[in-house]
Amino acid sequence: MRPLRRFLRALNVDTVWAEEWLRLTYASAETDQALSGTATASAKFQVFKDFFREWGSQSGGEAGDETKGEALPFTDDRLRTFVPNLPPVPEQMLLLCDFVGFSLEEAAELVSLSPEQAATELEEGRELTRNLPPLPVLILEDHGLIAQDLSDIIGETGLSVIGIVTNEADAIKVCRQNWPEIIVSDQMLEGGDTGLQAIEKLRADGEFATIYVTAYPDEVLTGLENEPAVIVAKPFKPEAIRAALGYTIAARDRLGGVIDAEAERDIG
């Protein structure tokens, strides 16, 4: 379940949508193994197939005119009438291969492409991770070596690391001087601080995109409003970080832009 959950959350940068489609997928899953937290690689692939099959069976589009002005009961059938389009295929391939870790052949089967077509789409998707604009990025990570690895990976994309901090108080100090457009955060921070608490404090004063990089992904799946959409599990591969960064920027641009560098901020 966990890889599919992280994939769905990242897919549309939306936690509510992800949880509903996770539920629909598992309700129609063709393999009981997929329900296990220790599912095999084949079961992991199968449940992704279940998602793409379930998704592909829906027509998408808007609700019919008969719903106008009425407060109708929320049902799974109504949920299926509000199916947004999947992101472009290159972005799907980027997430499936570099974020989730499927092979090119597996990802090609999931999106119904030949391996040759899939390779072309993946390369186009990976372009989203290169030569990114120098947006300011703040790293919240209390492990020095990991923080440096993240800084190196982020810097190689073209993004600008404005600071590496280990706790909430130092994050606030940095943000007072230079507001980040992206925060890359661990969950367990120095002095008992948590990433969720720090992000909640900062988000009250301005907008930014958040990517969690944590060995405890379940710790940030709390059901609260500030729960993250993009979660990379430790130990991570560099391509997973690059995919998370590039896709987050592309998705937010495509969805109308959530990063707002001009918002008023009063951090106290």
Side-chain angles (χ1 to χ4, degrees):
M1 176 184 291
R2 293 169 187 168
L4 180 64
R5 181 178 238 170
R6 291 197 295 270
F7 173 76
L8 292 179
R9 282 167 175 259
L11 195 65
N12 269 14
V13 197
D14 188 314
T15 59
V16 174
W17 176 92
E19 291 302 303
E20 290 299 322
W21 271 92
L22 184 75
R23 181 177 57 79
L24 287 181
T25 299
Y26 277 81
S28 62
E30 293 182 347
T31 171
D32 291 337
Q33 290 181 349
L35 301 175
S36 169
T38 57
T40 64
S42 61
K44 169 184 163 184
F45 178 72
Q46 180 60 51
V47 79
F48 272 77
K49 286 189 68 174
D50 291 332
F51 164 71
F52 279 94
R53 185 198 68 248
E54 174 75 15
W55 184 276
S57 69
Q58 312 308 323
S59 59
E62 300 294 335
D65 290 341
E66 69 277 4
T67 66
K68 292 182 178 179
E70 297 182 43
L72 299 179
F74 186 83
T75 65
D76 286 355
D77 286 340
R78 285 200 67 217
L79 175 64
R80 290 183 173 96
T81 68
F82 291 94
V83 179
N85 293 325
L86 283 174
V89 173
E91 296 180 23
Q92 294 180 51
M93 289 295 300
L94 176 66
L95 286 181
L96 288 169
C97 290
D98 291 358
F99 185 74
V100 179
F102 283 121
S103 68
L104 177 66
E105 292 74 17
E106 289 171 328
E109 183 176 345
L110 289 173
V111 298
S112 302
L113 293 176
S114 70
E116 294 75 20
Q117 291 172 318
T120 299
E121 299 288 357
L122 176 58
E123 181 57 28
E124 183 176 340
R126 284 175 174 164
E127 284 298 318
L128 297 174
T129 71
R130 303 174 183 134
N131 300 315
L132 296 177
L135 302 176
V137 180
L138 176 65
I139 299 173
L140 276 71
E141 170 61 63
D142 65 347
H143 190 291
L145 291 178
I146 294 176
Q148 189 58 56
D149 283 346
L150 287 171
S151 181
D152 291 344
I153 295 167
I154 293 167
E156 288 168 0
T157 69
L159 296 167
S160 176
V161 176
I162 60 173
I164 298 173
V165 296
T166 62
N167 56 61
E168 179 184 305
D170 287 345
I172 291 173
K173 290 179 183 178
V174 171
C175 290
R176 281 178 175 153
Q177 300 171 356
N178 190 359
W179 189 262
E181 295 198 29
I182 302 172
I183 293 182
V184 177
S185 179
D186 192 4
Q187 170 60 357
M188 308 306 293
L189 301 174
E190 184 181 73
D193 290 352
T194 70
L196 283 178
Q197 292 171 342
I199 295 301
E200 183 177 18
K201 174 73 173 179
L202 293 168
R203 199 175 292 284
D205 300 291
E207 293 181 336
F208 50 84
T210 307
I211 296 171
Y212 278 79
V213 183
T214 176
Y216 307 98
D218 289 341
E219 293 286 332
V220 297
L221 299 178
T222 63
L224 300 177
E225 288 186 4
N226 65 331
E227 197 169 291
V230 183
I231 306 170
V232 179
K234 293 179 180 178
F236 57 81
K237 294 182 179 180
E239 56 265 32
I241 302 298
R242 289 193 290 266
L245 291 164
Y247 182 83
T248 294
I249 294 170
R252 289 174 181 271
D253 288 346
R254 186 177 65 250
L255 295 173
V258 176
I259 300 173
D260 179 10
E262 303 301 324
E264 286 189 19
R265 299 169 182 110
D266 181 18
I267 304 172

